[in-house]
Every structure is written in structure tokens, then in C-alpha cells.
Amino acid sequence: MTKLSVNINKIATLRNARGGNVPDLLKVAADVQRFGAHGITIHPRPDQRHIRYRDAYDLKDVVFTEYNIEGNPEKKFVDLVLEIKPTQVTLVPDAVDAITSNAGWDTVTHKAFLTEIIAEFKSHGIRTSVFVDPVLEMVEGAANIGADRIELYTESFAHQYSLGNLDGITPYRLAAQRANELGIGINAGHDLSLDNIKYFHDNIPGLLEVSIGHALISEALYQGLENVVNLYLNKMK
């Protein structure tokens, strides 16, 4: 089945709002895995407005499933990943002041830069994933730079699905088919939720992993964290 990696940035946001250590990020990470999630995702940003760099190091001893660290490969981020050596690094081209990720890489324009960064991570045994829009040229570019996987940026799908437009899945299905042909693994994330995850999962061939944070944590406020984790797992069987 497709693996569920839970992004715990929002837990860190809540903690940071009051200072102290409530909620306890490390306990939540341990509990989420105990509830059945296959991995933990974090996305540290330079301003440390949610996940702090110290959290990234502390989580290394807590994550016993798969550890995925997302971010823009600036020097401080690269150094952090190389020290921690998570299961996977996901490269995301977000600007310093971005509220959240809002675009995938242009894997053609940035071919030289990404090829060098990916080679460095892979030489340390870290699986690499590149955040891309569902565009065939960008998928092919990901293959050319040596990425192990792509992460499909799913905001457009989620928006179209909310409007009742099921054809919004088409570019994602075509991108997935091309990735399968090229032998690249497929991850996905951004605005996936309990409402749309089953339809997305059922229409994307070879989907290996989804990373879900904002929706999952918001849904858990009403339905409980353990229950929501298992609802996602059941929808992806």
C-alpha cells in the first residue's frame, strides 16, 4: 500500500505559539508512528517559524519508520541533512518568505544545480525526491538529474476536486505514468485530505508515498489523531 508520512510542522507551530514544550513534538512523532503512520516529514525553514533546526536533530532518535526532511537546498539545509542522514530528502524550491510551498522545480533550467546537490545526498546514502508540478517535461528533467523520486505538487488537483472537477487528476495520472516509464518513484503532497485522498490514490499508478500535514492535523482536532491516521491508512488500502 501507499505509505503515509505525517508532516508535523503544524504541531511545532502550535508549540511555538506559547513557548515551552506543549504540545511535545517528539511525543507526537512517536505516537503518530505508533498509530500506524509509515513516516515523519518535517520542513524546516530559515526563520524556524515552526520546525526548528534543533527539532530536526532531536527527531533523529525518535523516528523509527522513515524520516523525510523537506526544504530548499541552501547551505544550512544541506549541512543539516548531511549530518542527520534521514531516509529521504525532498528538495523544494520555496522562497524564504513563503507561507507554504507554492511551486515545483524547473528541473530543466536548474539541471546543473540539482544534479550536483542530488549527487551529494546520494553519495551519503540518502534517498532524493524532487518537488515538481505534474508536467511531463519536469518529470523527465527529474530523471535526467538523477533523482530517485518525484513528489507531485497536488494543490491544483485538490482545488479542482473541491470544485467537483474530477478531470483535474489527468495531468497527475499522465505524470505518474511517465515517471513509471522512467523508473522514478512517485510521492505526492500538498492539500491532500480525507476528502480527496482516496480518489487521488486510486488514480495514480505506482504511488509510493503521500506526505500530509495541515489537513491531517486540522482533521485530528475534531476526530482525534489516532483515528485520523487510521482513516488515511484505510482509504489507501
Side-chain angles (χ1 to χ4, degrees), residues 11 14 16-17 37 47 62 67 90 125 129 143 146-147 150 160 183 194 205 214 226:
I11 300 298
L14 186 57
N16 296 352
D47 61 9
V62 175
Y67 192 9
T90 300
S129 179
I150 55 170
Q160 292 300 319
L194 283 176
H214 182 81
E226 181 174 8

Side-chain angles (χ1 to χ4, degrees), residues 74 107 120 211:
E74 299 176 344
T107 56
E120 178 72 3
S211 174

Side-chain angles (χ1 to χ4, degrees), residues 2 157 169 173 196-207 234-237:
T2 302
F157 157 74
I169 195 70
R173 185 174 63 250
N196 60 39
I197 187 61
K198 180 172 174 53
Y199 186 79
F200 186 82
H201 168 269
D202 291 350
N203 284 277
I204 300 300
L207 182 63
N234 285 332
K235 285 178 179 287
M236 293 191 293
K237 282 184 178 178

Side-chain angles (χ1 to χ4, degrees), residues 8-35:
I8 57 174
N9 279 14
K10 285 297 182 291
I11 300 298
T13 301
L14 186 57
R15 175 199 63 189
N16 296 352
R18 286 288 295 269
N21 195 39
V22 178
D24 185 331
L25 187 79
L26 301 185
K27 184 177 186 306
V28 171
D31 286 342
V32 163
Q33 295 169 95
R34 182 168 56 84
F35 297 155

Side-chain angles (χ1 to χ4, degrees), residues 25-74:
L25 187 79
L26 301 185
K27 184 177 186 306
V28 171
D31 286 342
V32 163
Q33 295 169 95
R34 182 168 56 84
F35 297 155
H38 305 101
I40 296 294
T41 291
I42 60 170
H43 189 146
R45 286 187 167 87
D47 61 9
Q48 302 188 70
R49 64 180 181 268
H50 36 62
I51 291 293
R52 300 166 181 156
Y53 291 112
R54 182 68 254 167
D55 294 328
Y57 289 99
D58 292 342
L59 282 162
K60 183 178 180 180
D61 295 327
V62 175
V63 179
F64 56 84
T65 53
E66 292 196 353
Y67 192 9
N68 175 44
I69 301 181
E70 300 180 341
N72 196 323
E74 299 176 344

